[in-house]
Amino acid sequence: SLPDDHDYFNEDEIDLTVPEEEMENRKDYRKLFTITIDGDTAKDFDDAISIKESGKSTKLYVHIADVSAYIRKGSKLDEEAFSRGTSYYLGDRVIPMLPERLSNDLCSLKEGVDRLTLTAEMNFDAQGNMTKFEAYRGIIRVNKRLTYNNAEKIINGRSLAQMNRTIQKMNKLAKLLNRKRINDGKLDLNLTDQEVIYENGTVKEIRFAPRLQSQSLIEEFMLSANEAVSRALKENEIPALYRVHEKISEDNIISLKRFLTVLNVKLDTGKTMGKSIQDVLEKVSGKPYEQVVNLVVLKSMMQAYYGPEPLGHFGLGFLDYTHFTSPIRRYPDLIVHRCLKTLIDSSTPPYRMPELIEIG
């Protein structure tokens, strides 16, 4: 059995007050129609989304829980979160990175209550190009909490209710962004997740989970926010932590070619490697060995890592990438939030390069 959370955190000794300066200069998004879309059993809601259309331009709002408003750099709580690195999701239970008072309550973007956020505002043109990015300290109130299954039914339906129209607009933008990313070199691996089914606390079965449009919608919007934040930090020369995924090594390319030759599939090295691999994935789509090829491609790629150099993400086809969207369950995102706040405030960056190397 897993230890109770109180074995790690004495919540009576934790200061969960928000400093006064954190409450100043917050943009009020509470009149904006805002939703969350998560799994059926989710309790820690990191992200919420809103959208506005204006002519051929679309503005996307990605609201992320402002965990750094509660956790001060160098505090005992910060040190404990750093030592854990992430929350661990083990079957039907969680070992959290943060106390549940924070992860499931004060920071969680729950329906119908005011919550503090760092909000990424992104404008996109009709081709899916990001034309403008701004970040703010925000305050939101989620109008509706949806599950992926709820949202999927709305996407496939035809209702004209406000929420349904909003989801349809979001799905339209997500599809546009996905097409653009694939054209720009993103690898769209078709790997099916597995889900563990429990009955009375005992594993009943393990099965493939269907890939839903609603999941792709959230994924695309989070990718956009991560890319935009990374680019802003890089362009403004603020020391930060980036998510780096390097190109496939020459040895791995040779091994992948040999494997594909057995299936009579050619890897065309005349194009960029990302586009060449995407061509292979499209060729094997629908074939009995599609899952195997996708898995071998994944295993051929380099291990991603965190570092202070903005070297881009090969698998996603991004020149700029970091992790910004999950600060409740991932420590690097908390680092990035602190760095982004110095950009918003025009203040001194919180980390120096040696610190970032060690943290990464």
Side-chain angles (χ1 to χ4, degrees):
S1 64
L2 296 174
D4 183 62
D5 199 30
H6 293 287
D7 290 353
Y8 294 103
F9 300 112
N10 184 345
E11 302 211 11
D12 293 334
E13 297 178 0
I14 298 172
D15 181 7
L16 297 178
T17 58
V18 177
E20 277 187 32
E21 62 270 19
E22 281 290 351
M23 296 304 296
E24 297 171 357
N25 301 316
R26 286 202 173 261
K27 192 167 180 178
D28 193 341
Y29 294 101
R30 286 174 289 187
K31 291 183 180 178
L32 198 61
F33 189 79
T34 301
I35 63 170
T36 61
I37 307 177
D38 291 275
D40 290 353
T41 60
K43 293 184 178 69
D44 51 346
F45 306 119
D46 280 300
D47 56 272
I49 49 177
S50 313
I51 196 168
K52 276 186 181 178
E53 288 184 344
S54 177
K56 293 184 178 180
S57 177
T58 302
K59 176 171 275 195
L60 172 67
Y61 303 80
V62 173
H63 313 279
I64 305 299
D66 190 358
V67 176
S68 61
Y70 291 90
I71 300 182
R72 297 164 183 79
K73 180 176 182 270
S75 66
K76 285 186 178 179
L77 194 51
D78 185 44
E79 290 174 358
E80 180 63 26
F82 170 63
S83 73
R84 296 182 181 210
T86 68
S87 295
Y88 293 87
Y89 297 84
L90 305 170
D92 61 346
R93 62 202 70 184
V94 181
I95 301 177
M97 183 180 80
L98 304 174
E100 287 192 5
R101 179 85 173 96
L102 281 172
S103 62
N104 292 2
D105 186 12
L106 294 176
C107 291
S108 190
L109 306 182
K110 299 195 290 188
E111 180 180 318
V113 292
D114 293 351
R115 286 292 183 261
L116 305 182
T117 64
L118 273 185
T119 294
E121 295 188 11
M122 295 161 282
N123 288 62
F124 295 93
D125 64 20
Q127 287 72 48
N129 300 301
M130 192 182 300
T131 56
K132 187 178 181 182
F133 165 73
E134 293 176 302
Y136 298 95
R137 282 179 168 85
I139 183 166
I140 70 166
R141 185 181 298 141
V142 171
N143 296 87
K144 187 66 178 175
R145 187 248 162 163
L146 294 173
T147 66
Y148 289 121
N149 289 318
N150 295 150
E152 192 73 9
K153 289 175 184 175
I154 293 171
I155 288 170
N156 295 324
R158 299 195 174 188
S159 170
L160 295 177
Q162 180 185 16
M163 186 175 66
N164 299 49
R165 292 199 312 272
T166 299
I167 297 287
Q168 297 289 355
K169 288 177 187 176
M170 289 176 172
N171 194 49
K172 176 184 170 187
L173 176 62
K175 285 184 173 180
L176 175 65
L177 294 177
N178 184 260
R179 282 197 302 271
K180 184 179 186 302
R181 291 193 213 291
I182 290 174
N183 289 337
D184 289 348
K186 173 192 171 188
L187 298 183
D188 195 22
L189 290 170
N190 185 19
L191 289 170
T192 309
D193 288 334
Q194 294 86 39
E195 59 183 353
V196 183
I197 310 301
Y198 287 85
E199 194 173 273
N200 300 322
T202 304
V203 176
K204 183 184 176 186
E205 64 175 308
I206 302 174
R207 66 189 180 200
F208 285 125
R211 183 68 178 161
L212 303 177
Q213 294 179 79
S214 55
Q215 291 170 308
S216 297
L217 183 159
I218 291 297
E219 179 183 286
E220 286 299 327
F221 290 175
M222 297 308 115
L223 290 175
S224 293
N226 285 334
E227 180 188 23
V229 168
S230 176
R231 186 185 301 129
L233 291 171
K234 181 181 80 173
E235 290 177 350
N236 288 277
E237 299 182 349
I238 294 174
L241 208 56
Y242 296 92
R243 184 64 170 168
V244 178
H245 187 225
E246 296 177 299
K247 293 179 181 178
I248 298 179
S249 70
E250 288 299 323
D251 287 346
N252 285 5
I253 290 173
I254 292 169
S255 297
L256 181 59
K257 274 185 177 178
R258 284 178 185 154
F259 167 76
L260 292 172
T261 300
V262 175
L263 299 173
N264 200 27
V265 176
K266 186 181 179 189
L267 182 68
D268 182 1
T269 52
K271 302 179 181 180
T272 63
M273 187 49 59
K275 293 197 177 202
S276 298
I277 293 175
Q278 189 58 44
D279 285 347
V280 167
L281 298 177
E282 288 170 6
K283 285 175 189 173
V284 302
S285 179
K287 299 281 198 312
Y289 44 79
E290 178 184 8
Q291 282 279 315
V292 177
V293 172
N294 276 263
L295 188 60
V296 171
V297 167
L298 178 66
K299 296 294 184 183
S300 299
M301 290 197 274
M302 305 297 284
Q303 180 72 45
Y305 64 91
Y306 293 104
E309 294 291 334
L311 302 176
H313 198 291
F314 169 75
L316 295 173
F318 288 154
L319 295 175
D320 301 291
Y321 199 65
T322 191
H323 277 165
F324 159 74
T325 55
S326 295
I328 290 176
R329 61 181 179 85
R330 211 164 46 194
Y331 192 78
D333 303 54
L334 180 55
I335 298 289
V336 169
H337 277 224
R338 290 173 178 151
C339 296
L340 183 61
K341 280 184 176 177
T342 66
L343 176 59
I344 294 170
D345 301 340
S346 300
S347 58
T348 305
Y351 297 98
R352 294 174 293 108
M353 288 292 275
E355 282 182 282
L356 292 167
I357 291 169
E358 181 182 353
I359 291 167

